[in-house]
Amino acid sequence: MSDELGHSITEHKHIYDLFEMINSKLVGTEKKLDIYLIGGGALMFHNAKASTKDIDVIMASDLQLELMEDVLFRLGFAETPLADEYGNFALDKMFINGDYRLDVFNQKVCGKLSISSEMISRSIVELSLSNVKLHVLSKEDIFVFKSITTRDGDVEDSANIIKQGIDWRIVK
């Protein structure tokens, strides 16, 4: 399954490959990226979704966002105009390169919900490279982010998270 903006990602390896490419542009520098996976890609690691059409990440600071943008441009990613469905989404940037589409948020999703220190502490480092750490947010935190969005599929993703079981105390 694919759409006009990238193709479906069906394996963890495709996600690892992307972040290994990002890391390769930082090797030999003192620059470090902490990247927080929040969408369908994160749900793949929680076994709550089989594939995703994009990789949703949130950066925890302006400096981290600037570094991420620089690396993506050096990898040949193009910034893409946002489609109408993203009008109220407050997405900071959308980048495309071949099969990869990254939706990049800077500290907030939908201009409403910020990544918090508690969310960061609950995240799991899924991939730790020399200059890049890929963190996967908890199911509970992904559920909260998905509950404020209006994209197609977010209600279904939320239902799948609930079916797996979540700690409602964390959500609250």
Side-chain angles (χ1 to χ4, degrees):
M1 174 201 312
S2 67
D3 63 17
E4 68 277 4
L5 296 174
H7 301 348
S8 273
I9 294 170
T10 58
E11 297 178 29
H12 295 146
K13 180 186 180 325
H14 295 130
I15 296 172
Y16 292 142
D17 288 349
L18 170 63
F19 292 101
E20 287 169 0
M21 286 188 299
I22 291 169
N23 185 71
S24 73
K25 292 297 181 188
L26 296 171
V27 170
T29 72
E30 297 293 317
K31 297 176 181 176
K32 307 283 186 194
L33 271 173
D34 281 288
I35 303 167
Y36 298 89
L37 202 55
I38 60 172
L43 291 178
M44 288 175 63
F45 287 105
H46 287 293
N47 297 313
K49 192 168 186 161
S51 67
T52 186
K53 66 181 179 181
D54 58 15
I55 304 293
D56 298 305
V57 299
I58 189 165
M59 309 308 292
S61 73
D62 291 339
L63 288 174
Q64 287 283 284
L65 176 67
E66 290 171 16
L67 180 56
M68 179 70 150
E69 287 177 342
D70 176 62
V71 169
L72 292 175
F73 286 133
R74 288 192 289 137
L75 284 169
F77 278 79
E79 189 174 343
T80 304
L82 302 178
D84 289 341
E85 71 179 288
Y86 294 93
N88 294 325
F89 203 48
L91 174 62
D92 288 283
K93 307 280 181 165
M94 181 186 293
F95 296 93
I96 297 194
N97 184 352
D99 290 344
Y100 291 109
R101 180 179 124 200
L102 271 86
D103 292 350
V104 182
F105 297 89
N106 184 24
Q107 301 170 63
K108 285 186 180 182
V109 173
C110 293
K112 298 175 186 169
L113 183 63
S114 297
I115 188 166
S116 68
S117 57
E118 292 85 3
M119 290 176 178
I120 289 170
S121 70
R122 283 190 292 270
S123 70
I124 297 167
V125 176
E126 181 60 40
L127 183 64
S128 183
L129 302 168
S130 59
N131 296 71
V132 170
K133 282 190 182 170
L134 178 63
H135 306 258
V136 176
L137 264 58
S138 73
K139 291 185 296 186
E140 292 80 6
D141 295 323
I142 296 165
F143 176 82
V144 171
F145 277 117
K146 287 203 169 271
S147 71
I148 65 167
T149 63
T150 58
R151 291 193 301 181
D152 293 340
D154 285 336
V155 171
E156 182 181 338
D157 288 346
S158 296
N160 287 336
I161 294 169
I162 292 169
K163 285 178 192 172
Q164 279 196 331
I166 60 175
D167 185 337
W168 289 104
R169 294 171 296 174
I170 293 172
V171 172
K172 185 177 177 183

